[in-house]
């Protein structure tokens, strides 16, 4: 019996992932608010009623896509921010570049839906980014430079870093989608992103002056 249940659970998870993958592919050229349920089920090759065994609505599917895109990044971001000084910046830019190269569709989805027309998805993105900011704040508070900073200012700084990481992801996505994506273009974006993060760090050093 347990073996049969395991097979059924695996098949259910496989079908759920098929919905996510199909939706992500369909969202390459459109927003979630314009995505039809029948489009997704047609792409997966199942009846529309099968969709509701996995998601309550396309908005619910969109929330699952947000979690798929951002959920796994939390440990990596915490590890990155825990690194000292210049190593933190270098590691952050490399992490973002590699993630965009590996998951461009997820990055494009987040960039589009962050201010899109589906409220539960906007709220989930906002919640994930707020969680990132809290995690970054916790790591920043461990720095010697954090002496004398209050929680509100540390959180403000953390949000600046998170926002800049999103901007950096967009820059790498644009370079990836340019007519002639190349190592030279990636290196150019790397230099720009590194300088922008350094500017935030420089401002931090003089905040209490």
């Amino acid at each position: 019996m347990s073996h049969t249940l395991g097979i059924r659970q695996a098949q259910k998870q496989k079908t759920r992932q098929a919905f996510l993958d199909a939706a992500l592919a369909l969202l390459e050229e459109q927003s979630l608010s314009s995505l039809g349920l029948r489009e997704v089920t047609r792409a997966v090759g199942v009846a529309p009623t099968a969709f509701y065994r996995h998601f309550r609505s396309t908005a619910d599917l969109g929330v699952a896509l947000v979690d798929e895109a951002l959920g796994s990044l939390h440990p990596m971001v915490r590890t990155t921010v825990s690194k000292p000084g210049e190593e933190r910046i270098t590691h952050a830019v490399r992490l973002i570049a590699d993630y965009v190269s590996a998951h461009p569709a997820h990055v494009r989805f987040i960039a589009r839906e962050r201010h899109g027309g589906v409220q539960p998805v906007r709220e989930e993105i906002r919640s994930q980014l707020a969680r990132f900011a809290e995690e970054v704040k916790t790591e920043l508070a461990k720095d010697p430079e954090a002496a004398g900073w209050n929680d509100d200012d540390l959180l403000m700084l953390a949000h600046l870093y998170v926002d800049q990481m999103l901007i950096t992801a967009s820059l790498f996505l644009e370079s990836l989608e340019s007519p002639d994506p190349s190592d030279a273009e990636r290196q150019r974006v790397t230099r720009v992103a590194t300088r922008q993060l350094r500017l935030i760090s420089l401002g931090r050093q003089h905040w209490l002056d």
Side-chain angles (χ1 to χ4, degrees):
M1 174 66 80
S2 61
H3 178 66
T4 302
L5 288 173
I7 292 174
R8 288 177 180 171
Q9 187 62 33
Q11 183 57 49
K12 183 177 180 181
Q13 183 58 39
K14 183 178 178 181
T15 304
R16 185 180 190 276
Q17 188 61 50
F19 279 123
L20 292 170
D21 293 343
L24 195 61
L26 290 166
L27 290 168
E28 291 274 352
E29 303 296 337
Q30 63 180 311
S31 65
L32 184 65
S33 60
S34 65
L35 181 67
L37 183 151
R38 289 183 180 275
E39 283 184 86
V40 181
T41 55
R42 191 181 306 118
V44 176
V46 297
T49 52
F51 179 89
Y52 294 105
R53 299 190 194 115
H54 302 273
F55 304 100
R56 296 185 299 274
S57 62
T58 54
D60 189 36
L61 182 148
V63 169
L65 280 174
V66 173
D67 185 62
E68 183 176 72
L70 298 178
S72 65
L73 287 174
H74 289 280
M76 288 183 281
V77 169
R78 285 196 299 270
T79 299
T80 296
V81 180
S82 68
K83 295 184 180 300
E86 185 69 15
E87 188 180 352
R88 172 185 293 162
I89 294 173
T90 302
H91 198 275
V93 174
R94 188 187 311 122
L95 168 68
I96 297 165
D98 290 347
Y99 186 80
V100 172
S101 294
H103 306 283
H106 285 96
V107 176
R108 189 180 303 107
F109 169 74
I110 295 298
R112 178 184 291 138
E113 300 301 328
R114 185 183 181 190
H115 304 292
V118 181
Q119 183 176 353
V121 175
R122 288 199 314 272
E123 290 176 350
E124 180 62 20
I125 293 173
R126 189 180 304 118
S127 174
Q128 290 275 2
L129 296 181
R131 182 180 159 196
F132 279 125
E134 287 289 348
E135 291 165 350
V136 170
K137 185 194 87 168
T138 297
E139 294 302 326
L140 292 176
K142 299 174 184 177
D143 289 350
E145 296 92 333
W149 284 63
N150 61 48
D151 279 353
D152 287 343
D153 285 354
L154 274 174
L155 185 59
M156 178 179 65
L157 177 64
H159 275 291
L160 284 175
Y161 276 117
V162 171
D163 287 344
Q164 189 58 48
M165 290 173 81
L166 288 172
I167 292 170
T168 299
S170 296
L171 289 174
F172 277 116
L173 185 62
E174 289 173 10
S175 72
L176 197 65
E177 296 176 336
S178 66
D180 184 27
S182 63
D183 287 342
E185 178 61 13
R186 174 170 164 143
Q187 290 169 9
R188 184 193 69 80
V189 173
T190 297
R191 288 193 299 272
V192 170
T194 299
R195 287 168 62 85
Q196 289 173 336
L197 284 169
R198 281 176 183 159
L199 187 59
I200 295 175
S201 295
L202 182 63
R204 177 192 185 184
Q205 293 171 24
H206 298 281
W207 179 249
L208 297 178
D209 289 354

